[in-house]
């Protein structure tokens, strides 16, 4: 008997890849969307990987509990994946209240809707490595590492994480949190540093631009591929007992090294094209993130399969193709 899954944030990078994975496994997939005049643009990622016509889009709003209960009653999901959030860290400093509402309170509304309308459904909460924040340099972060959020986004994610744990323990819900370290792909939003870099590399290679502005090149991140990470999400909800898991590669590199890899892929010297801009530095920086995925490996059998260089090369190639097809800097890409 096939299962039914409901995904919030279905139009994002992770939502698209998760939809593809679940459809391949025979699921009926519903995706929650706010009603919007720009629906065609918002579904660009689903279209890009060829699953738009197979995902059942249903309207609802994370800030409207009644709409969520209505959706749960209609869909009757076996599994709920809460991926929706205001996900851009830099924007969270400019919009801290919106970030708190959507990323934090929105998760609570989703949990409450599931508790009331489908208490037997399994629930996944997308937690974030940004919750670790001011972590000790050189020490890997695991499920037991203390949290120290350094942005409104991270603080909102931390609330969503702990409220999920609270619902699990208070109401015996099968609710698990995936503490995911940075994961990227050709579907990544162009406001994120990896995609900003790969798109700029494509434009520079094609003669459409000359330079790229970046902020802190010394920040270190643990970068993996979103396709690997959504597989981990699914694996968490197949366990008999809910729990929290770090998903990471166990390797950290600087923004500088990631940028160099992107330029190397097309035979360019990054130092000839990159300028540093102080306005791109965060008010409070997260200098070092390095995840310890030992628990996920031991209990889930999960391991990443796509390395950083392969992933960055895939992203550069995708942006080159987009830019070539567009013919100029007005290329339409997933935002």
């Amino acid at each position: 008997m096939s299962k039914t899954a409901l995904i919030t944030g279905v139009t994002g990078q992770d939502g698209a890849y998760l939809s593809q994975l679940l459809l391949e496994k025979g699921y009926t997939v519903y995706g929650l969307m706010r009603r919007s005049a720009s629906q065609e643009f918002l579904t660009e990622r689903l279209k890009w990987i060829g699953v738009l016509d197979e995902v059942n889009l249903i309207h609802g709003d994370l800030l409207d509990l009644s709409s969520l209960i209505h959706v749960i009653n209609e869909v009757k999901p076996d599994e709920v994946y809460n991926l929706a959030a205001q996900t851009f860290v830099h924007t969270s400093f400019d919009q801290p209240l919106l970030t708190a509402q959507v990323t934090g309170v929105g998760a609570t509304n989703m949990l409450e809707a599931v508790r009331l309308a489908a208490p037997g459904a399994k629930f996944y909460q997308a937690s974030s490595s940004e919750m670790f924040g001011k972590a000790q340099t050189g020490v890997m972060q695991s499920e037991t590492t203390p949290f120290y959020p350094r942005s409104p986004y991270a603080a909102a994610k931390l609330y969503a994480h702990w409220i999920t744990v609270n619902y699990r323990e208070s109401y015996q819900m099968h609710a698990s949190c995936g503490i995911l370290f940075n994961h990227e792909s050709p579907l990544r939003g162009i406001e994120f540093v990896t995609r900003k870099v790969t798109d700029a590399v494509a434009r520079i290679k094609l003669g459409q631009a000359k330079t790229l502005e970046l902020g802190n090149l010394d920040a270190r991140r643990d970068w993996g591929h979103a396709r690997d990470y959504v597989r981990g999400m699914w694996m968490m909800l197949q366990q008999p007992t809910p729990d929290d898991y770090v998903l990471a590669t166990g390797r950290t590199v600087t923004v500088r090294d990631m940028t160099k890899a992107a330029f190397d892929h097309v035979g360019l010297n990054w130092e000839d094209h990159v300028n540093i801009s102080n306005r791109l530095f965060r008010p409070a920086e997260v200098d070092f993130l390095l995840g310890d995925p030992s628990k996920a490996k031991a209990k889930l059998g999960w391991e990443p399969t796509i390395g950083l260089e392969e992933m960055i090369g895939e992203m550069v190639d995708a942006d080159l193709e987009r830019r070539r097809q567009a013919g100029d800097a007005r290329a339409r890409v997933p935002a």
Side-chain angles (χ1 to χ4, degrees):
M1 183 176 178
S2 66
K3 294 181 180 179
T4 298
L6 173 65
I7 303 172
T8 73
V10 71
T11 60
Q13 167 190 257
D14 293 2
Y17 281 118
L18 180 60
S19 296
Q20 183 181 55
L21 175 72
L22 296 179
L23 288 166
E24 289 172 353
K25 293 183 177 296
Y27 279 65
T28 299
V29 177
Y30 287 84
L32 186 74
M33 281 189 66
R34 283 189 304 155
R35 191 174 296 278
S36 170
S38 58
Q39 178 168 316
E40 182 180 351
F41 179 71
L42 291 175
T43 57
E44 191 70 19
R45 290 186 180 88
L46 295 171
K47 183 178 180 181
W48 197 81
I49 60 172
V51 299
L52 177 59
D53 293 338
E54 299 179 74
V55 175
N56 302 287
L57 298 176
I58 189 166
H59 293 293
D61 194 318
L62 283 182
L63 301 184
D64 180 1
L65 177 59
S66 64
S67 78
L68 298 180
I69 292 174
H70 175 77
V71 166
I72 296 293
N73 281 327
E74 181 176 343
V75 172
K76 297 179 174 56
D78 299 291
E79 298 172 5
V80 176
Y81 296 85
N82 186 45
L83 311 184
Q86 190 298 102
T87 57
F88 191 37
V89 174
H90 196 277
T91 298
S92 77
F93 286 99
D94 297 326
Q95 300 178 345
L97 300 182
L98 175 67
T99 301
Q101 286 290 316
V102 174
T103 305
V105 176
T108 312
N109 285 336
M110 201 69 230
L111 281 161
E112 186 69 358
V114 172
R115 182 183 75 85
L116 293 173
K122 296 180 178 180
F123 184 89
Y124 172 84
Q125 169 58 29
S127 294
S128 169
S129 61
E130 288 284 334
M131 300 186 310
F132 293 119
K134 196 175 182 179
Q136 185 177 346
T137 299
V139 178
M140 299 179 81
Q141 293 103 43
S142 72
E143 295 81 5
T144 59
T145 301
F147 297 119
Y148 194 139
R150 295 272 283 174
S151 67
Y153 167 78
K157 277 291 187 183
L158 187 57
Y159 171 81
H161 175 85
W162 280 119
I163 199 67
T164 302
V165 174
N166 183 261
Y167 267 67
R168 179 172 73 213
E169 296 178 349
S170 299
Y171 304 115
Q172 291 71 57
M173 293 175 63
H174 194 296
S176 297
C177 297
I179 307 172
L180 272 56
F181 279 65
N182 295 68
H183 48 288
E184 320 296 316
S185 77
L187 299 186
R188 193 53 144 157
I190 205 164
E191 70 273 19
F192 290 88
V193 66
T194 48
R195 180 70 195 293
K196 177 181 179 180
V197 167
T198 61
D199 179 69
V201 167
R203 288 186 287 114
I204 291 169
K205 182 65 176 178
L206 296 173
Q208 298 172 1
K210 293 183 178 179
T211 60
L212 164 65
E213 280 195 344
L214 292 174
N216 183 8
L217 295 182
D218 295 318
R220 303 185 72 91
R221 293 292 183 270
D222 183 328
W223 276 299
H225 199 296
R227 193 179 291 112
D228 280 331
Y229 286 59
V230 300
R231 176 169 47 85
M233 298 175 189
W234 175 79
M235 294 172 81
M236 291 179 207
L237 295 200
Q238 309 318 303
Q239 303 306 303
T241 304
D243 207 343
D244 306 323
Y245 297 90
V246 163
L247 296 186
T249 69
R251 175 193 178 193
T252 186
V253 299
T254 62
V255 173
R256 178 183 291 101
D257 289 338
M258 179 272 294
T259 302
K260 181 179 183 299
F263 278 95
D264 284 350
H265 186 71
V266 295
L268 295 175
N269 180 5
W270 73 274
E271 292 177 305
D272 294 337
H273 302 283
V274 174
N275 296 324
I276 304 303
S277 172
N278 289 330
R279 66 182 178 81
L280 296 177
F281 281 70
R282 295 183 186 182
E285 182 59 88
V286 174
D287 295 312
F288 178 88
L289 289 175
L290 174 61
D292 178 0
S294 300
K295 180 178 176 180
K297 181 178 180 180
K299 292 194 172 184
L300 303 179
W302 179 88
E303 288 186 273
T305 63
I306 303 170
L308 172 71
E309 288 77 13
E310 179 184 351
M311 177 187 72
I312 292 296
E314 179 189 353
M315 293 173 68
V316 171
D317 289 342
D319 280 322
L320 280 168
E321 182 61 24
R322 290 185 180 112
R323 292 296 176 180
R324 287 192 184 106
Q325 288 181 0
D328 58 27
R330 295 187 298 277
R332 181 173 182 178
V333 297

